[in-house]
Amino acid sequence: METEQQQRESINASFSQGTLAIEGTDTANLPKLPPAREPESQWQQISRQVSQVLEQLPEYVGRFFKDYKQPLTTVGLILAAILTAKIVLAVLDAINDIPLLSPLFELVGISYATWFISRYLLKASTRQELADEIQLLKNQFVGE
């Protein structure tokens, strides 16, 4: 009876320590399992995935700009040209709404056109001078 009582006491002691040893085994060499974890909730999984994407976002953006540098530059220039045209048209519309300013600009335009025609287009020599100047500007832009 004493042996049964001793076994019960050793079993109770083992239960209180959280381990159960089989007689004749060495428990020090047995592998231990990691402690149980609570399963991740759906929000924790989503937040973990979002944080991983945000960590890699600078790398993704850098690679995207590196791969598509030329098309992005072209699209940016087109958008800048459209925006500039809209701003210029809005400014001209605002100026056109100012009384007496619109007729003044028309008068300046008519005066300049009259001067240009009389200066460059009436005589053959001045037309040749204009053609030479246009060719010079074209060569400067093209680089010939």
Side-chain angles (χ1 to χ4, degrees):
M1 275 263 207
E2 288 183 25
T3 57
E4 282 183 37
Q5 187 175 9
Q6 288 174 349
Q7 286 177 350
R8 284 185 193 150
E9 288 175 5
S10 69
I11 289 173
N12 287 339
S14 295
F15 276 128
S16 67
Q17 293 175 356
T19 59
L20 179 61
I22 301 174
E23 285 185 29
T25 60
D26 185 16
T27 59
N29 293 332
L30 290 177
K32 294 184 178 180
L33 294 174
R37 294 187 312 171
E38 292 184 27
E40 277 187 291
S41 71
Q42 186 176 7
W43 287 108
Q44 288 172 333
Q45 290 175 350
I46 291 171
S47 66
R48 184 173 40 83
Q49 290 172 351
V50 167
S51 67
Q52 288 174 352
V53 168
L54 290 177
E55 285 175 2
Q56 296 172 353
L57 185 65
E59 180 182 327
Y60 291 151
V61 171
R63 191 177 326 127
F64 178 79
F65 279 118
K66 183 180 175 187
D67 292 344
Y68 297 106
K69 184 177 184 178
Q70 184 67 31
L72 288 174
T73 303
T74 304
V75 168
L77 288 174
I78 290 170
L79 291 175
I82 291 171
L83 182 66
T84 303
K86 285 191 175 234
I87 290 172
V88 166
L89 289 174
V91 168
L92 287 176
D93 190 42
I95 288 173
N96 199 21
D97 288 341
I98 298 174
L100 294 179
L101 203 54
S102 176
L104 178 67
F105 283 145
E106 287 179 16
L107 185 61
V108 168
I110 291 171
S111 301
Y112 181 78
T114 305
W115 173 84
F116 184 82
I117 290 170
S118 66
R119 166 71 174 95
Y120 288 110
L121 300 179
L122 291 180
K123 297 181 187 173
S125 63
T126 56
R127 283 193 300 266
Q128 184 61 40
E129 180 185 335
L130 179 63
D132 291 341
E133 195 169 324
I134 291 173
Q135 187 63 33
L136 179 69
L137 285 173
K138 191 168 90 173
N139 288 341
Q140 286 178 349
F141 280 116
V142 175
E144 292 179 5

